[in-house]
Coordinates of all heavy atoms in Angstrom, one line a residue:
W1 N -4.9 8.5 15.2 CA -5.9 9.2 15.9 C -5.5 10.7 16.1 O -4.5 11.0 16.6 CB -6.2 8.6 17.3 CG -7.3 9.3 18.1 CD1 -7.1 10.1 19.1 CD2 -8.7 9.2 17.9 NE1 -8.3 10.6 19.6 CE2 -9.3 10.0 18.8 CE3 -9.5 8.5 16.9 CZ2 -10.7 10.2 18.9 CZ3 -10.8 8.7 17.0 CH2 -11.4 9.5 18.0
L2 N -6.4 11.6 15.6 CA -6.2 13.0 15.7 C -6.9 13.5 17.0 O -8.1 13.9 16.9 CB -6.7 13.7 14.4 CG -6.1 13.2 13.1 CD1 -6.7 13.9 11.9 CD2 -4.6 13.3 13.1
A3 N -6.1 13.5 18.1 CA -6.8 13.8 19.4 C -7.4 15.2 19.4 O -8.5 15.3 19.9 CB -5.7 13.7 20.5
G4 N -6.8 16.2 18.8 CA -7.3 17.5 18.8 C -8.7 17.6 18.1 O -9.4 18.5 18.3
Q5 N -8.9 16.7 17.1 CA -10.1 16.7 16.3 C -11.1 15.6 16.7 O -12.1 15.4 16.1 CB -9.8 16.7 14.9 CG -8.9 17.8 14.4 CD -8.5 17.7 12.9 OE1 -9.4 17.4 12.1 NE2 -7.3 17.9 12.6
H6 N -10.6 14.8 17.7 CA -11.5 13.6 18.2 C -11.9 12.7 17.1 O -13.1 12.3 17.0 CB -12.7 14.2 19.0 CG -12.3 15.1 20.1 ND1 -11.7 14.7 21.2 CD2 -12.5 16.4 20.2 CE1 -11.5 15.7 22.0 NE2 -12.0 16.8 21.4
R7 N -11.0 12.4 16.2 CA -11.3 11.5 15.1 C -10.0 10.9 14.5 O -8.9 11.3 14.8 CB -12.0 12.2 13.9 CG -11.1 13.3 13.3 CD -11.9 14.0 12.1 NE -11.0 15.0 11.5 CZ -10.1 14.7 10.5 NH1 -10.0 13.5 10.1 NH2 -9.4 15.7 10.0
A8 N -10.2 9.8 13.8 CA -9.1 9.2 13.1 C -8.9 9.8 11.7 O -9.8 10.5 11.2 CB -9.4 7.7 12.9
E9 N -7.7 9.6 11.2 CA -7.4 10.2 9.8 C -8.4 9.6 8.8 O -8.8 8.4 8.9 CB -6.0 9.7 9.4 CG -4.8 10.4 10.1 CD -3.5 9.9 9.6 OE1 -3.4 8.6 9.5 OE2 -2.6 10.7 9.4
T10 N -8.7 10.4 7.8 CA -9.4 9.9 6.7 C -8.4 9.1 5.8 O -7.2 9.2 6.0 CB -10.0 11.0 5.9 OG1 -9.0 11.8 5.3 CG2 -11.0 11.9 6.8
T11 N -9.0 8.4 4.8 CA -8.1 7.7 3.9 C -7.2 8.7 3.2 O -6.0 8.4 3.0 CB -9.0 7.0 2.8 OG1 -9.7 5.9 3.5 CG2 -8.1 6.4 1.7
A12 N -7.7 9.8 2.7 CA -6.9 10.8 2.0 C -5.8 11.4 2.9 O -4.6 11.5 2.5 CB -7.8 12.0 1.5
E13 N -6.1 11.6 4.2 CA -5.1 12.1 5.1 C -4.0 11.0 5.4 O -2.8 11.3 5.5 CB -5.7 12.5 6.4 CG -6.5 13.8 6.3 CD -7.4 14.1 7.5 OE1 -7.8 13.1 8.2 OE2 -7.7 15.2 7.8
Y14 N -4.5 9.8 5.6 CA -3.5 8.7 5.8 C -2.6 8.5 4.6 O -1.4 8.5 4.8 CB -4.3 7.4 6.1 CG -3.5 6.2 6.0 CD1 -2.6 5.8 7.0 CD2 -3.6 5.3 4.8 CE1 -1.9 4.6 6.9 CE2 -2.8 4.2 4.7 CZ -2.0 3.8 5.7 OH -1.2 2.7 5.6
Q15 N -3.1 8.5 3.4 CA -2.3 8.3 2.2 C -1.4 9.5 2.0 O -0.3 9.3 1.5 CB -3.2 8.1 1.0 CG -3.9 6.8 1.0 CD -4.7 6.5 -0.2 OE1 -5.4 7.4 -0.7 NE2 -4.6 5.3 -0.7
R16 N -1.8 10.7 2.3 CA -1.0 11.9 2.2 C 0.2 11.8 3.1 O 1.4 12.1 2.8 CB -1.7 13.2 2.5 CG -0.9 14.4 2.2 CD -1.8 15.7 2.1 NE -2.8 15.8 3.2 CZ -4.1 15.7 3.1 NH1 -4.7 15.3 1.9 NH2 -4.9 15.9 4.1
R17 N 0.0 11.3 4.3 CA 1.1 11.1 5.3 C 2.1 10.0 4.8 O 3.3 10.2 4.9 CB 0.5 10.7 6.7 CG 1.6 10.3 7.7 CD 1.0 10.2 9.1 NE 0.0 9.2 9.3 CZ 0.2 7.9 9.5 NH1 1.4 7.5 9.5 NH2 -0.9 7.1 9.6
I18 N 1.6 8.9 4.3 CA 2.5 7.9 3.8 C 3.2 8.4 2.6 O 4.5 8.1 2.4 CB 1.7 6.6 3.4 CG1 0.9 6.0 4.6 CG2 2.6 5.6 2.8 CD1 1.8 5.7 5.8
R19 N 2.6 9.1 1.7 CA 3.2 9.6 0.5 C 4.4 10.6 0.9 O 5.4 10.6 0.3 CB 2.2 10.4 -0.4 CG 2.8 10.7 -1.8 CD 1.7 11.3 -2.7 NE 0.7 10.2 -3.0 CZ -0.6 10.2 -2.5 NH1 -1.0 11.2 -1.7 NH2 -1.4 9.2 -2.8
G20 N 4.1 11.3 2.0 CA 5.2 12.2 2.5 C 6.4 11.5 3.0 O 7.6 11.9 2.8
V21 N 6.2 10.3 3.7 CA 7.3 9.5 4.1 C 8.1 9.0 2.9 O 9.4 9.1 2.9 CB 6.8 8.3 4.9 CG1 7.9 7.3 5.2 CG2 6.2 8.8 6.2
L22 N 7.4 8.5 1.9 CA 8.1 8.0 0.7 C 8.9 9.1 0.0 O 10.0 8.9 -0.4 CB 7.1 7.3 -0.3 CG 6.5 6.0 0.2 CD1 5.4 5.6 -0.7 CD2 7.6 4.9 0.1
D23 N 8.2 10.2 -0.1 CA 8.9 11.4 -0.8 C 10.1 11.8 -0.1 O 11.2 12.1 -0.7 CB 7.9 12.5 -1.0 CG 6.8 12.3 -2.0 OD1 7.0 11.4 -2.8 OD2 5.8 13.0 -2.0
S24 N 10.0 11.8 1.2 CA 11.2 12.3 2.0 C 12.4 11.3 1.9 O 13.5 11.8 1.7 CB 10.8 12.4 3.5 OG 11.9 12.7 4.3
E25 N 12.1 10.0 1.9 CA 13.2 9.0 1.8 C 13.8 9.0 0.4 O 15.0 8.9 0.3 CB 12.7 7.6 2.2 CG 12.3 7.5 3.7 CD 12.6 6.1 4.2 OE1 13.5 5.5 3.8 OE2 11.8 5.7 5.2
A26 N 12.9 9.2 -0.6 CA 13.4 9.2 -2.0 C 14.3 10.5 -2.2 O 15.3 10.4 -2.9 CB 12.3 9.2 -3.0
A27 N 13.9 11.6 -1.6 CA 14.7 12.8 -1.7 C 16.0 12.6 -1.0 O 17.0 13.2 -1.5 CB 13.9 14.0 -1.0
D28 N 16.1 11.9 0.1 CA 17.3 11.7 0.8 C 18.3 10.9 -0.1 O 19.5 11.2 -0.2 CB 17.1 10.9 2.1 CG 16.7 11.7 3.3 OD1 16.9 13.0 3.2 OD2 16.3 11.2 4.3
L29 N 17.7 9.9 -0.8 CA 18.5 9.1 -1.7 C 19.1 10.0 -2.9 O 20.2 9.9 -3.2 CB 17.7 7.9 -2.3 CG 17.4 6.7 -1.4 CD1 16.5 5.7 -2.2 CD2 18.7 6.1 -0.9
A30 N 18.2 10.8 -3.4 CA 18.6 11.7 -4.5 C 19.7 12.6 -4.1 O 20.6 12.9 -4.8 CB 17.4 12.4 -5.0

């Protein structure tokens, strides 16, 4: 929930956040 915008994430925003988590962990491994 994006309180400042009074709405939930869109699918694109949600997937971008998850992709960021995966990218960050993969970068740690590398």
Side-chain angles (χ1 to χ4, degrees):
W1 180 254
L2 306 177
Q5 302 178 44
H6 305 288
R7 65 177 179 87
E9 288 176 316
T10 64
T11 293
E13 289 169 331
Y14 165 77
Q15 290 184 316
R16 185 162 54 248
R17 175 166 60 83
I18 299 304
R19 192 172 293 109
V21 172
L22 287 168
D23 287 344
S24 176
E25 293 211 31
D28 278 347
L29 286 179

